Amino acid sequence: MAREKLTIPTAGVELVRKLAAEGDRIFSTDRAREFAPSVGLSEGYLRQALHHLARAGWLVRVRKGLYVISSTVPGTSPVHEFEIAMALVKPAAISHRSAMHYHGLTDQSPRKVFVLTTTEASVPRRPRGNDEGYRVGDTLFQFTQTKPERYFGTEKIWVGEARVTITDPERALIDGLLMPQHCGDFAEVLHAFVERGEQLDVERIIRYALQLDTATAKRLGWVLEERGYAPEQLAPLLAVPIKGYRCLDPTGPRRGPCNRRWMIQENLPGKMKR
């Protein structure tokens, strides 16, 4: 490692310091090209210099043509993993278990960063044979793509020096009903509803469910009724037409009693009979 650092020309080090001073802790090759002449880097040597800087630990390659300045560079604060997510794909919103954890809906810290984007976005591809996620340094990113019209329910927050997009608590809960496997499991999603408690914006979460699909609307109705919400509040969900029963936990087996009111098969461990 030390030998590699010695091969980095002064111009490369100055380029990193200049980018950091400008606030470009995440930057593209094109952005680096703008500063290259001022530090004496030729066009032909720029990419090679970036490669050497990454090998020496001054930079972390995020994806092709995109780099993060390492926190080991003197005077540089660490780049938050949420900020990296915003640079990996556009549009992007921190979602699912990551959003649940941020909003205090679960105390289980996710081992990867979950990111919601659209089907029109160019998502970084993981290496063939790797189903863990897309890795940047020590962090894994899991992308979930949805139709553009289903990309909603987000808000802006500050993390460190960066302003990032995250799904709001109600959207995080709805995503749990859609894809509990990205939120721990269905039991963790039900616990998240308990944690949200009286802070839950019922009108908002019902509106979100009605913008998605029938199964989600019926699952939400079942959950809210179990939480003690009044029938008149749940009327829009009950009115959604449906043919056939849907599993309460979409990742679970098709076993358990059928709730005719919500057209939901209650396939929870405590309700299923062997």
Side-chain angles (χ1 to χ4, degrees), residues 235-271:
L237 299 172
L238 197 60
V240 175
I242 185 172
K243 293 182 179 180
Y245 287 90
R246 301 293 190 274
C247 286
L248 182 58
D249 177 358
T251 64
R254 295 194 66 89
R255 294 206 313 269
C258 291
N259 184 314
R260 189 173 181 181
R261 174 173 165 81
W262 292 106
M263 296 301 289
I264 285 292
Q265 187 166 17
E266 300 171 347
N267 60 339
L268 301 180
K271 290 181 175 285

Side-chain angles (χ1 to χ4, degrees), residues 8 15 21 27 54 69 78 90 98-99 102 110 130 141 153 155 164-165 177 180 207 211 242 251-253 266 268 274:
I8 301 174
L15 174 65
F27 65 90
I69 297 177
K90 296 184 186 305
S98 298
Y102 176 84
N130 174 22
F141 294 85
E155 60 187 23
V164 306
T165 304
L177 297 180
R207 185 172 71 252
Q211 289 177 256
I242 185 172
T251 64
E266 300 171 347
L268 301 180
R274 296 187 180 276

Side-chain angles (χ1 to χ4, degrees), residues 11-157:
V13 175
E14 288 303 313
L15 174 65
V16 172
R17 287 175 175 164
K18 199 169 188 69
L19 285 162
E22 292 292 324
D24 292 306
R25 299 186 303 163
I26 302 178
F27 65 90
S28 65
T29 303
D30 288 339
R31 180 61 171 163
R33 188 174 289 114
E34 295 177 24
F35 292 99
S38 66
V39 298
L41 270 177
S42 66
E43 171 71 23
Y45 188 67
L46 175 62
R47 290 185 182 277
Q48 188 176 350
L50 292 173
H51 173 74
H52 287 314
L53 287 163
R55 289 190 64 187
W58 282 64
L59 301 178
V60 177
R61 185 176 179 273
V62 176
R63 63 184 300 180
K64 186 177 181 180
L66 194 65
Y67 298 87
V68 173
I69 297 177
S70 171
S71 58
T72 60
V73 175
T76 303
S77 58
V79 177
H80 196 281
E81 55 194 14
F82 289 0
E83 187 178 355
I84 295 174
M86 297 299 104
L88 282 171
V89 64
K90 296 184 186 305
I94 305 304
S95 64
H96 296 84
R97 200 171 191 177
S98 298
M100 284 173 55
H101 184 261
Y102 176 84
H103 292 304
L105 302 177
T106 177
D107 55 7
Q108 295 186 19
S109 193
R111 65 183 185 88
K112 61 176 69 172
V113 177
F114 291 89
V115 185
L116 183 69
T117 186
T118 69
T119 50
E120 296 178 348
S122 175
V123 174
R125 299 301 174 189
R126 66 189 69 173
R128 184 173 296 178
N130 174 22
D131 60 357
E132 284 291 298
Y134 184 81
R135 183 177 294 277
V136 176
D138 295 328
T139 305
L140 286 169
F141 294 85
Q142 176 77 50
F143 300 98
T144 299
Q145 292 182 280
T146 190
K147 294 178 181 178
E149 62 269 23
R150 292 187 171 194
Y151 182 83
F152 59 81
T154 65
E155 60 187 23
K156 296 285 187 179
I157 60 169

Side-chain angles (χ1 to χ4, degrees), residues 105 173 177 186-200 202 205 219-231 233-234 248 262:
L105 302 177
L173 290 169
L177 297 180
F186 199 78
E188 189 67 20
V189 174
L190 293 179
H191 176 72
F193 273 91
V194 175
E195 288 295 311
R196 187 63 175 162
E198 294 181 358
Q199 291 181 291
L200 181 70
V202 180
I205 200 169
R219 288 181 193 124
L220 178 63
W222 186 95
V223 171
L224 294 181
E225 190 167 72
E226 288 287 308
R227 298 285 304 136
Y229 286 91
Q233 290 179 286
L234 309 182
L248 182 58
W262 292 106

